[in-house]
Amino acid sequence: MERIISNQNSRVKAWAKLSSKKGRLENHTYLLDGWHLVEEAVKANAKFHAVMATSSQMALHLPEVPHGVPAFEISEEVAKHIAGTNTPQGIFAEISLPEKTFDPAYVHDGAWLLLDQIQDPGNVGTLVRTADAAGFKGVVLGEGTADAFAPKVVRAMQGSQFHLEVLNGDLNQWVDALTNNGLPVYGSQLNEAAQSYRDIAPSTQFGLILGNEGQGMSDELAAKTTANLYIPIQGQAESLNVAIAGGILMFSLSLGNE
């Protein structure tokens, strides 16, 4: 097994480049940081390109890594460099980006979360994880939304990208397709003139749009929805964080969560 102790090593430089979208697209791979995420990838039969770990983590987990995957022992300093943090867990994997084409015209069932220009990586990752917990079939990231495979998003998803569809798409096309296929599409608005989310009967088949942290969803999408929903606020807070609002709506609207 090759041992790497220098941040100037060519492999380390290549792994560090996966922190950028450009680097991920060039290599068609992304990075997992921490055993929980690596383990989820193993369970999902993801395509592994490499596993990198400190000596202690390698001793603990190498037997659980799929046979034939290149393994590299790295120093603590290299682990910090790859992770971009001072407290990495000490084990990483480079795996393939999903390569999917998904035509919304063929979507006739399931609950779908549509993210319109949500820019905070923590919010995007938390929403994907919550959609997984609420039994959603997939999450569609519209233009302007944080990249699903950026390091902060991946950490926040906590492996949920292996449990449901995580796609990029044109949200206008998705709304049109879902509506044409008989699925209602709901939007979230900070607007008391909108309909209370409590008035909507839970279902197993619908779309839910969540919009930008500051501006909400676009007017174009808001005009296409079946209904736009409002979460009444009892206290003096001006608004809810989009991930919190999304969690309330996802669990309220999903039939399996009554």
Side-chain angles (χ1 to χ4, degrees):
M1 182 189 305
E2 182 178 347
R3 186 168 186 264
I4 302 175
I5 61 173
S6 171
N7 291 342
Q8 299 308 309
N9 180 281
S10 60
R11 292 187 186 277
V12 174
K13 290 181 178 179
W15 293 326
K17 285 181 180 179
L18 298 179
S19 64
S20 72
K21 186 173 183 179
K22 180 181 178 182
R24 292 190 292 276
L25 292 177
E26 285 177 352
N27 288 281
H28 305 289
T29 61
Y30 72 105
L31 206 63
L32 302 175
D33 178 358
W35 175 245
H36 171 69
L37 297 184
V38 176
E39 184 179 35
E40 288 293 320
V42 171
K43 292 176 182 176
N45 295 314
K47 183 179 179 181
F48 281 74
H49 294 256
V51 170
M52 309 81 85
T54 59
S55 58
S56 60
Q57 289 293 307
M58 193 66 78
L60 279 173
H61 299 300
L62 184 58
E64 300 174 72
V65 173
H67 179 71
V69 174
F72 302 87
E73 183 182 320
I74 58 175
S75 66
E76 298 283 351
E77 286 305 311
V78 169
K80 291 178 183 178
H81 184 69
I82 294 171
T85 68
N86 289 321
T87 56
Q89 295 183 41
I91 184 166
F92 308 84
E94 181 184 1
I95 69 170
S96 291
L97 286 168
E99 296 181 2
K100 298 179 183 178
T101 57
F102 211 100
D103 187 343
Y106 294 98
V107 175
H108 294 275
D109 61 8
W112 294 84
L113 180 65
L114 313 180
L115 304 184
D116 180 28
Q117 301 186 72
I118 297 182
Q119 299 173 342
D120 182 85
N123 285 337
V124 172
T126 299
L127 284 164
V128 172
R129 185 179 179 184
T130 305
D132 178 15
F136 274 52
K137 192 166 184 177
V139 181
V140 184
L141 284 65
E143 185 176 354
T145 293
D147 181 32
F149 300 101
K152 288 182 180 179
V153 178
V154 172
R155 284 195 288 270
M157 288 192 294
Q158 283 294 297
S160 285
Q161 72 269 30
F162 300 117
H163 307 154
L164 76 173
E165 303 287 351
V166 180
L167 310 163
N168 293 311
D170 182 322
L171 297 192
N172 282 289
Q173 290 181 5
W174 271 84
V175 173
D176 290 343
L178 293 175
T179 302
N180 289 339
N181 291 339
L183 278 67
V185 178
Y186 305 112
S188 172
Q189 283 190 325
L190 186 63
N191 178 359
E192 293 186 9
Q195 190 171 349
S196 171
Y197 77 99
R198 296 190 180 102
D199 295 338
I200 304 298
S203 173
T204 57
Q205 303 180 44
F206 62 91
L208 172 64
I209 307 170
L210 297 172
N212 175 269
E213 290 89 343
Q215 304 300 319
M217 65 177 167
S218 72
D219 292 340
E220 186 177 7
L221 289 173
K224 289 186 172 187
T225 61
T226 307
N228 292 315
L229 308 181
Y230 174 72
I231 300 174
I233 293 175
Q234 306 303 319
Q236 298 183 49
E238 181 181 351
S239 63
L240 291 170
N241 169 273
V242 66
I244 298 295
I248 292 170
L249 292 172
M250 281 187 270
F251 274 87
S252 175
L253 295 172
S254 299
L255 184 61
N257 296 299
E258 284 188 292

